[in-house]
Amino acid sequence: MHVLLIEDDLRISSFLIKGLEEASYVVSLCKSAEAVYEGNYLDLPIDLIIVDIMLPGMDGIQFVQTLRYKGNYTPVLMLSALNAVQDKVTALNSGADDYLTKPFHFDELLSRLQALLRRKQFQVKSKPENSQLRFGDLLIDKDQYMVSVAEEIVELSPKELKLLLYLVDNKNRTVSRMQILNAVWGITFDNHSNVVDVYISYLRNKIEVSNEKFIFTVKGIGYMFKYDT
């Protein structure tokens, strides 16, 4: 597996490269986000990206936002010394798949990378032959990561799109808030976090605009995506 590491701290990057190579990963190192684009590293068959949130020039948040905007959905693990819940929320909402706080145990980093790889491999194996899904006026193109309602393109953030795809993949099945948090945000939030409800509201406002209802609340449990033809 090929890992792209974006880290400007020589001590940390040396530690990570040594450990990853011993675990049979191939590692490419860039000391800045700009170097990734200047060196065309994204043209390589990269399986995972590890990026530090604090970088010279373009920071890790901006890098991931740009990555997702360009339609690149390679799994991203973000590293940071910041450990407040809001810092994690900001990073994950930018499009990162997981977040690990420094200092960390290397075994935990490996476990998180393996979990991201399993998720990626499962998504590839589970990919339906027809990548376009239509529910009335709602059209979802999984290949192009594009959503439209009544032929009008709907602009979704990376997390909104990931949430919609998760709900659609579980069509006609109730999923709990904790299941959604684990699948979409990649970490276990406080049980009292309302981030799922907030993003469900965002989605409803964007896709339920033509008198068609898709996302239903299952009181006391979670949500269900349902469409009756």
Side-chain angles (χ1 to χ4, degrees), residues 62-94:
Q62 294 168 325
F63 169 77
V64 175
Q65 288 175 330
T66 303
L67 188 74
R68 300 314 190 210
Y69 178 77
K70 291 178 177 290
N72 187 316
Y73 287 85
T74 302
V76 174
L77 172 63
M78 189 168 285
L79 303 179
S80 176
L82 307 174
N83 61 5
V85 170
Q86 189 54 51
D87 295 318
K88 297 177 183 179
V89 170
T90 299
L92 294 168
N93 284 350
S94 74

Side-chain angles (χ1 to χ4, degrees), residues 6-33:
I6 311 170
E7 172 62 71
D8 65 318
D9 187 309
L10 179 60
R11 181 180 59 84
I12 295 175
S13 63
S14 297
F15 164 72
L16 288 174
I17 290 172
K18 181 177 184 295
L20 288 169
E21 289 182 342
E22 287 178 354
S24 300
Y25 286 88
V26 175
V27 185
S28 293
L29 172 66
C30 288
K31 296 181 180 179
S32 70

Side-chain angles (χ1 to χ4, degrees), residues 150-180:
E151 310 306 324
E152 293 290 329
I153 300 297
V154 178
E155 296 295 335
L156 298 181
S157 71
K159 276 292 177 284
E160 289 168 347
L161 178 59
K162 197 168 183 179
L163 172 59
L164 176 59
L165 292 176
Y166 179 71
L167 292 172
V168 169
D169 286 343
N170 289 278
K171 180 173 171 281
N172 296 325
R173 181 186 304 147
T174 300
V175 286
S176 70
R177 288 174 176 82
M178 289 306 297
Q179 286 176 311
I180 294 172

